[in-house]
Amino acid sequence: MRNVFLPRDPEELWAILQKEPDAAIYAGGTDVLVMMRSRRLNPPCLICLERLEALKGIREHGEEVFIGAATTHSRVAAHQLIRQHFPVLAKGASVLGSAPIRHMGTIGGNIVTASPAGDTLPALYVLEAEVEIGSANQTRRVPLNEFITGPGTVGLAQGEALTGVWLKKTSGWSVSHYEKVGRRKAQACAVASMAALLNVSEAGMVEDARLAWGSVGPTVVTSRAVETALIGEQLTSATLKSAARLVEEAVSPIDDVRASAEYRRVVAGALLSRLSLEGKSRL
Ligand SMILES: Cc1cc2nc3c(=O)[nH]c(=O)nc-3n(C[C@H](O)[C@H](O)[C@H](O)COP(=O)(O)OP(=O)(O)OC[C@H]3O[C@@H](n4cnc5c(N)ncnc54)[C@H](O)[C@@H]3O)c2cc1C
């Protein structure tokens, strides 16, 4: 038997974190419970975020949108602000796991787990998200790509918790796309995934591009070389195919039980080359 703390406001959370520095935070529990069951994690006590309303929900603040760390994936996927301004994130959240996992799992849990296969992460990278970190002493904001330092590792100090994610509203990308390839069509962790934001002119020329791949490196992979190869070019199959070769060079996948490194490399390129076929986000 271990104690479970249920703070009701952030002050209570910071006080418990100071008193119980080895406690594990439990948001949806979909990763924490799996780790405890397999004995990879054996914390003295748990801090459950269930009653912390301040860490839940999605709020507009001028030109920015705040997503509370304990907001579930189903809420992110369905929320009007997210669907309107960040459809690439709505898509990532809507294909994560199964419906029960999306009802329990949270965006904060997906970020702190920092799996290269995390389905919200490529979208958050192309959206240039910042995470908000709180503690008894301060609140700070850090770009997500600096917060995640490796597979399963993030820049959280003792006494700190993730309180939310900040996104800047963008003025409408013409292509907003997320796709993952898994071993099954649904409910599978990604073998490779890609988030893409493109601005394409009326004449079909790529004016701006932001791309990020999941499951093909220790953390989400971005490549300025691939983006530069697209910018200024017509969005044709030939352009995408030649950029796809650069993707294969940029990624650094590993072999594991789900797929070989070579297969992941090819899939990462193929996700880009079929972008024109997939077309615009159909959310
Ligand atoms: C059957 C199954 C299928 C899955 N499929 C997918 C999938 O397709 N794609 C995918 O990306 N993931 C998948 N997952 C993994 C998991 O569901 C997600 O990573 C989910 O977002 C985790 O969120 P959670 O709220 O359940 O996190 P928890 O399990 O509660 O926590 C995860 C980690 O984050 C820490 N943490 C949580 N919230 C905070 C916070 N606010 N501050 C500081 N630390 C915090 C916890 O201490 C823990 O280390 C799957 C899991 C299962 C069991």
Side-chain angles (χ1 to χ4, degrees):
M1 283 289 280
R2 44 169 76 80
N3 279 338
V4 179
F5 294 93
L6 284 152
R8 285 177 189 273
D9 57 54
E11 282 59 46
E12 228 184 300
L13 171 64
W14 312 137
I16 299 165
L17 277 171
Q18 280 189 318
K19 218 172 113 218
E20 301 284 352
D22 296 323
I25 291 183
Y26 173 117
T30 61
D31 280 323
V32 156
L33 292 182
V34 171
M35 287 194 284
M36 286 171 64
R37 203 163 296 155
S38 62
R39 298 185 196 283
R40 280 174 290 155
L41 183 71
N42 187 19
C45 56
L46 293 170
I47 304 174
C48 178
L49 304 184
E50 191 183 282
R51 296 190 188 159
L52 248 173
E53 290 305 321
L55 265 59
K56 294 183 190 170
I58 295 164
R59 299 182 275 280
E60 208 168 6
H61 292 262
E63 287 311 298
E64 292 187 298
V65 171
F66 176 78
I67 309 174
T71 309
T72 63
H73 299 299
S74 32
R75 203 152 168 205
V76 170
H79 201 280
Q80 180 267 332
L81 273 176
I82 305 297
R83 293 174 73 87
Q84 181 187 345
H85 295 288
F86 317 110
V88 65
L89 176 61
K91 185 70 198 278
S94 71
V95 298
L96 188 152
S98 56
I101 294 291
R102 291 193 290 275
H103 284 310
M104 289 191 294
T106 63
I107 191 162
N110 203 229
I111 291 172
V112 176
T113 289
S115 159
D119 274 307
T120 65
L121 303 183
L124 291 172
Y125 270 62
V126 293
L127 292 167
E128 298 181 343
E130 289 189 342
V131 291
E132 184 184 281
I133 299 155
S135 69
N137 307 320
Q138 60 165 347
T139 301
R140 60 192 178 100
R141 268 164 78 157
V142 181
L144 176 65
N145 60 4
E146 292 173 20
F147 179 67
I148 297 181
T149 50
T153 57
V154 295
L156 269 183
Q158 219 165 55
E160 289 186 327
L162 189 70
T163 47
V165 181
W166 286 95
L167 296 172
K168 278 197 184 63
K169 287 186 205 159
T170 49
S171 54
W173 294 84
S174 36
V175 174
S176 182
H177 180 73
Y178 178 72
E179 185 179 4
K180 75 168 167 178
V181 173
R183 287 179 68 186
R184 295 188 304 263
K185 275 237 178 276
Q187 301 185 19
C189 279
V191 159
S193 61
M194 184 189 74
L197 296 178
L198 299 184
N199 261 334
V200 184
S201 71
E202 287 287 309
M205 193 186 79
V206 180
E207 293 175 328
D208 200 2
R210 289 196 207 155
L211 301 159
W213 289 264
S215 294
V216 287
T219 59
V220 168
V221 173
T222 56
S223 166
R224 199 59 204 148
V226 177
E227 291 166 354
T228 307
L230 293 177
I231 294 169
E233 301 294 327
Q234 290 291 312
L235 186 63
T236 61
S237 305
T239 309
L240 289 166
K241 267 200 183 127
S242 83
R245 280 194 285 276
L246 296 177
V247 177
E248 293 183 18
E249 287 167 23
V251 299
S252 52
I254 53 160
D255 293 315
D256 72 7
V257 287
R258 291 201 297 275
S260 69
E262 198 40 42
Y263 178 65
R264 287 174 199 271
R265 196 182 291 283
V266 171
V267 172
L271 283 168
L272 181 63
S273 41
R274 67 198 223 180
L275 191 60
S276 57
L277 303 176
E278 294 295 327
K280 300 181 182 190
S281 169
R282 285 160 301 184
L283 281 164

